[in-house]
Amino acid sequence: MLNLGLLSPDLLVGLRNIPDLSGVTEQPDCILVGAMTRHHGVASNPLVRRFAPLLGLAAGLIGDTQVRNRGTLGGSLAHADPAANYLPAVVALEADIELAGPSGRRTVPAKDFFCDVMTTQLEKDELIVNVRVPKRATRTGCSFQKFARVKGNFPIVCAAALWDFERDAGRVV
């Protein structure tokens, strides 16, 4: 939003040096991906590859090398551009987005987090802390596709598909 000239805040707070906001950790039923985890870190993480490969596929196709090494999962989700790679992926994965603010923490399902173009459930005094992605069955297939006129640009359209062979169920977003 700053780069596009759509925002001119009086104060800008950097979150880069808060270690608890970066990285991927395994929980019994999910993986937690920190909001400040860079796209390259999401795409190359072994836990993401094992339990949520769709998220890694989406991350690996974001922009160019510079963008993948500087941009973050939380930043992309908070920006909520409908052409962004992560949006259909987190909805297809039935992920939850954990938010924190002065009133405490709350969790919002990804399908409910996005309200409109560049509009989310995020309050002005909150930030995204992490994304909870349920672990997928071993017999799961997925695909992430996008169409852009110029390679590396925001896509005109993107789609995420997930199929669980054990449950014989899936979704396309």
Side-chain angles (χ1 to χ4, degrees):
M1 299 289 279
L2 291 170
N3 193 39
L4 295 171
L6 299 174
L7 285 178
S8 301
D10 295 328
L11 177 66
L12 187 61
V13 177
L15 303 174
R16 185 180 332 168
N17 296 324
I18 303 175
D20 290 347
L21 293 180
S22 294
V24 181
T25 56
E26 183 178 0
Q27 302 291 313
D29 61 342
C30 69
I31 58 171
L32 296 178
V33 185
M36 291 297 294
T37 306
R38 305 222 188 280
H39 306 313
H40 174 74
V42 174
S44 62
N45 186 278
L47 291 172
V48 172
R49 285 190 198 155
R50 180 175 175 195
F51 296 116
L54 177 60
L55 190 65
L57 290 172
L61 293 173
I62 292 174
D64 57 22
T65 304
Q66 289 177 319
V67 171
R68 285 190 300 277
N69 283 309
R70 299 215 16 111
T72 63
L73 170 64
S76 181
L77 295 176
H79 184 63
D81 187 317
N85 291 19
Y86 285 128
L87 281 61
V90 296
V91 172
L93 287 164
E94 300 177 270
D96 292 321
I97 299 170
E98 188 176 354
L99 312 174
S103 300
R105 290 185 180 226
R106 65 187 179 107
T107 302
V108 179
K111 68 180 180 61
D112 299 326
F113 182 71
F114 307 105
C115 305
D116 203 341
V117 174
M118 297 183 171
T119 307
T120 68
Q121 294 286 338
L122 194 61
E123 298 293 337
K124 287 185 177 189
D125 59 354
E126 290 180 315
L127 59 91
I128 298 173
V129 177
N130 62 52
V131 177
R132 290 181 175 275
V133 183
K135 288 181 179 176
R136 291 287 153 203
T138 54
R139 295 188 58 228
T140 301
C142 64
S143 180
F144 180 85
Q145 301 293 317
K146 70 180 193 173
F147 172 73
R149 292 198 188 277
V150 178
K151 185 178 180 184
N153 281 3
F154 271 95
I156 294 169
V157 65
C158 55
L162 185 69
W163 188 261
D164 183 333
F165 291 96
E166 291 174 9
R167 293 189 319 185
D168 197 25
R171 52 191 335 178
V172 176
V173 179

